[in-house]
Amino acid sequence: MHELSIALEILDIVGKEAARHGAAVVRQVNLRVGDLSGVETESLAFSFDAVKSEKDLTRETVLAIERVPVKIRCAPCDGEFTGSGHMVICPICEGFDTELLQGDELEIEDIEID
């Protein structure tokens, strides 16, 4: 379960940023997780809740997860569409020359601190 190591890394990053800004408490961490990231969001949320209690700064922190759908652009027709993987055929022109625009993210969007 790599979600535990991801949760620990998030807490490490959040702790360093909070300390850099002199925060006493981290209220919320807003995370963006793409559908192709390979991250199970329920497992990540569970892991985060399990390990956050070990740190005073993040004891009450809420992890808000935004799922990011897959979005693809077709080079030949410049159309954009949603998909479910890296190998896709454009539904507009049936072209194969496509580019992933979003959907593989795993990023901290922002941190709410006091």
Side-chain angles (χ1 to χ4, degrees):
M1 175 157 83
H2 69 285
E3 283 78 5
L4 178 58
S5 62
I6 293 169
L8 289 168
E9 184 66 22
I10 291 168
L11 285 169
D12 185 51
I13 292 167
V14 167
K16 287 177 183 174
E17 279 300 304
R20 192 167 72 90
H21 293 282
V25 175
V26 177
R27 296 285 174 209
Q28 184 164 311
V29 175
N30 297 310
L31 190 68
R32 297 184 53 176
V33 179
D35 287 342
L36 294 178
S37 68
V39 175
E40 295 288 333
T41 55
E42 289 179 15
S43 294
L44 178 58
F46 177 83
S47 297
F48 185 87
D49 285 342
V51 294
K52 75 176 183 181
S53 63
E54 297 174 4
K55 304 187 184 269
D56 289 336
L57 186 67
T58 57
R59 189 170 309 239
E60 300 298 321
T61 303
V62 173
L63 180 64
I65 300 174
E66 174 191 353
R67 294 297 307 208
V68 180
V70 176
K71 188 173 183 182
I72 301 163
R73 176 184 299 127
C74 176
C77 74
D78 203 34
E80 292 184 6
F81 56 96
T82 59
S84 59
H86 292 287
M87 181 62 179
V88 293
I89 299 172
C90 175
I92 301 164
C93 73
E94 298 182 354
F96 287 98
D97 187 7
T98 59
E99 170 190 13
L100 181 66
L101 299 177
Q102 69 178 34
D104 62 348
E105 298 87 349
L106 176 55
E107 60 191 15
I108 298 171
E109 185 171 33
D110 60 36
I111 303 164
E112 297 175 20
I113 59 174
D114 282 341

